Amino acid sequence: MPEGRSIGWWCPAYRGVLQLDGLRVSRSLRRSARDFEIRVDTAFDEVVAACADPRRPHGWIDGRIARAYGDLHRLGWAHSVEAWRDGRLAGGLYGVAIGGLFAGESMFHHVTDASKVALLGLVEGLRSDPAGAAGNRLIDVQWATRHLTGLGVRQITRASYLAALEGLLAVPTAALWGE
């Protein structure tokens, strides 16, 4: 997005969502996950920068977006989940957490499976929260791509998404975010 354009809220007719009990983890991904360490909010700006890589097709994360999310992170609203291997950031994701909703913005990987392992870490972290029963939390991934549907993401209508928001926003913030 050019620096001069306004920032808007994306509200598509169909939205990709992942319910905590809907994540599908293959045996190979479970094995791969053992090679990574999951960290939360230790490299937020680096995760956003990796997601903003200008070589990525359809890049939308410019300097203004990165600064805005950095500000949200410092205010306690935006968070990163990172997959580390051998002391290096190998992949991760970031988004905004409000109540029982985690609105994922972007993910990246430098090592095979690292972004999927970060998603697995996010789901496991949210599941382990006392208020994290499967029906109380939802991960909004925006689009139900072929890659994400293989992990259990499903598509819901805008009306269904908006109807669920009120209940999701009433759920206490997850302990995963350290608040």
Side-chain angles (χ1 to χ4, degrees):
M1 172 178 6
E3 291 281 338
R5 293 189 50 195
S6 63
I7 298 172
W9 182 58
W10 195 248
C11 189
Y14 295 94
R15 187 170 291 269
V17 298
L18 178 62
Q19 294 179 317
L20 300 186
D21 61 354
L23 180 66
R24 289 195 291 260
V25 182
S26 66
R27 265 185 260 134
S28 64
L29 180 57
R30 187 70 66 190
R31 251 188 323 271
S32 184
R34 289 183 238 154
D35 296 333
F36 295 92
E37 174 191 356
I38 297 298
R39 299 182 193 172
V40 175
D41 288 339
T42 66
F44 183 86
D45 291 328
E46 292 86 345
V47 169
V48 173
C51 290
D53 183 343
R55 296 171 295 185
R56 291 180 71 178
H58 312 296
W60 58 274
I61 304 169
D62 63 18
R64 286 182 333 130
I65 296 287
R67 285 188 299 278
Y69 278 101
D71 290 345
L72 287 172
H73 173 65
R74 286 175 273 293
L75 290 169
W77 294 99
H79 302 280
S80 62
V81 179
E82 308 135 12
W84 292 78
R85 180 187 269 174
D86 300 324
R88 293 184 172 194
L89 181 61
L93 58 88
Y94 78 96
V96 175
I98 304 173
L101 175 69
F102 183 82
E105 293 299 331
S106 191
M107 58 194 323
F108 82 98
H109 70 276
H110 294 311
V111 174
T112 301
D113 287 341
S115 60
K116 291 185 268 189
V117 170
L119 180 62
L120 174 59
L122 171 62
V123 169
E124 289 179 347
L126 293 175
R127 275 185 189 157
S128 69
D129 187 76
N136 291 341
R137 298 202 183 277
L138 184 72
I139 299 170
D140 172 353
V141 299
Q142 299 177 15
W143 307 107
T145 64
R146 187 167 35 122
H147 166 75
L148 291 171
T149 55
L151 293 169
V153 167
R154 64 186 184 90
Q155 191 168 266
I156 62 172
T157 66
R158 177 187 297 136
S160 295
Y161 181 79
L162 294 174
L165 277 180
E166 185 175 353
L168 290 167
L169 299 179
V171 173
T173 301
L176 175 66
W177 311 125
E179 297 174 7

